[in-house]
Each structure stands twice: as C-alpha cells, then as structure tokens.
Amino acid sequence: GQNIDQPTEMTATEGAIVQINCTYQTSGFNGLFWYQQHAGEAPTFLSYNVLDGLEEKGRFSSFLSRSKGYSYLLLKELQMKDSASYLCALDSNYQLIWGAGTKLIIKP
Amino acid sequence: AAGVIQSPRHLIKEKRETATLKCYPIPRHDTVYWYQQGPGQDPQFLISFYEKMQSDKGSIPDRFSAQQFSDYHSELNMSSLELGDSALYFCASSLAGSRVGVNTEAFFGQGTRLTVV
C-alpha cells in the first residue's frame, strides 16, 4: 500500500528556521513533491525530488532519502507570509498521493 | 505566463442538480488532473487524462464523469449533487506523458469552489 505521514501543525518564529518532515511508504516511487497552500487557494509548487540529497532554492530546501522513505522541507529566514499549509505529495504510479499537510504558524 | 484556467471560480447548486466544471491547461500541456479538496482536507485525486484519453482514476464517484477534448481542455461533469460534494475542485496540468514526472511540474489552477445547498 501507499502511505504518507507529516505533522499536523508546527509553530515557528519569524526569522527562524523550521523543518517539516514527511515519511512515506510506497511500492512505486517516482518522486516526491512539496507544495505550499494558503487557505482557500490552489497548491503552489515548491520542489520535486527524485534523487537522494538536498536541493536548495533560495530560502526553501528539500531533502530526500529514498532508502528511508523520508523527506523534509527546510524553510529559512521565516516570514509571516510563509504561514500556510505545506503538502508532501508522492509521485507514484501515475498519480499524486497527498499527505494531509502541515499547517505552519509563524509568530512574530 | 499563461496558467491553468478554471471556470467558474464559484458555483452554487442545489442538491440533485448537475454541475460542469471546466479546466483549460497551460498551452502544450498534454495531461490534466482533477482533484477534490474538502474543508480542512488534503486534495484527493479524482481522475486524469493524457492526450484526451483517461490515464488514471482515483476516488471519483460514479455520479461524476470527465473528459478531455481535442483542444486539451477538460470538463468535470457532476450529477445528482450531494451536500458532501461541496469542496474546492482543482485542476492541474503537466507535460511529458501520463504521469507527473522528472522535470515536470504540475501547475494548478485557482480552483472552483462548489457549494451544494
């Protein structure tokens, strides 16, 4: 079967760093997406990892370990606008399998 | 740059009515995906199309049907609407075959908010 887990909610302080973890189990792995979603809006693409390792894009970085079924999204220099849900999605067998999302709350 | 266009943005229907949602993918994208997102829930995959043929099917109810037309736009037809169908319906498009894959991002439309009363 396929399964994705990520924390329901996290709180962090403006200017700080936060790491959102995602673990998964699947029989067919093609890649792993991270999306950001503000309430009532469509998810927006952040990253797509296929190979193990860290990929950095500005303030956001994403890490993947296929052997461990583990990924994380790292957000640096947090801004208030980063308050959103962060969705981990598994690219598996011709569809995306979504995690429930992690609601990130940024405090001043 | 052109994005995925969904129409309408908001729709209010009564129970047992029908609704049609439209999705216009990014030009030259050959794959369209439909997702349903209930309040406070993660998006649920409904169905996808590649080159006008259904490529995969998720948790789409039998009351719903969809198709992709020759111009690659897609329509989601919903009949016998129920209160539980109230949700955000997202369409996404991508290039490179029947799956979201390497070097391919799935671009999402802004969604259609369907309210069934």
Side-chain angles (χ1 to χ4, degrees), chain B residues 2-78:
Chain B
V4 177
I5 306 296
Q6 288 188 247
S7 166
R9 290 293 308 279
H10 303 274
L11 189 59
I12 299 175
K13 290 285 186 178
E14 295 187 354
K15 284 192 301 184
R16 293 179 289 277
E17 283 193 319
T18 61
T20 298
L21 279 54
K22 298 184 180 181
C23 170
Y24 298 86
I26 290 174
R28 294 184 296 282
H29 277 194
D30 52 18
T31 306
V32 168
Y33 310 81
W34 284 98
Y35 295 86
Q36 177 193 57
Q37 187 173 28
Q41 300 178 3
D42 51 296
Q44 295 295 320
F45 172 72
L46 294 178
I47 196 167
S48 63
F49 292 88
Y50 166 62
E51 284 292 342
K52 294 153 279 185
M53 299 288 288
Q54 180 182 309
S55 57
D56 204 0
K57 195 172 182 179
S59 54
I60 185 169
D62 292 340
R63 299 177 289 110
F64 294 5
S65 64
Q67 58 181 324
Q68 186 178 31
F69 294 85
S70 58
D71 63 353
Y72 294 99
H73 95 271
S74 178
E75 295 184 3
L76 178 65
N77 298 295
M78 311 160 73

Side-chain angles (χ1 to χ4, degrees), chain A residues 30 33 35 37 40-45 48 50 57 87 91 93-96 98-101, chain B residues 35 37 42-43 45 48 56-57 88 90 98-106 108-110 113:
Chain A
N30 295 316
F33 285 91
Y35 285 87
Q37 186 178 29
E41 298 181 8
T44 55
F45 172 84
Y48 181 67
V50 176
K57 284 185 180 182
L87 299 151
D91 178 6
N93 299 328
Y94 298 89
Q95 61 179 281
L96 290 182
W98 294 88
Chain B
Y35 295 86
Q37 187 173 28
D42 51 296
F45 172 72
S48 63
D56 204 0
K57 195 172 182 179
L88 272 170
F90 291 112
S98 57
R99 71 170 181 85
V100 180
V102 178
N103 296 323
T104 297
E105 302 174 22
F108 283 82
Q110 292 185 301
R113 181 175 292 281

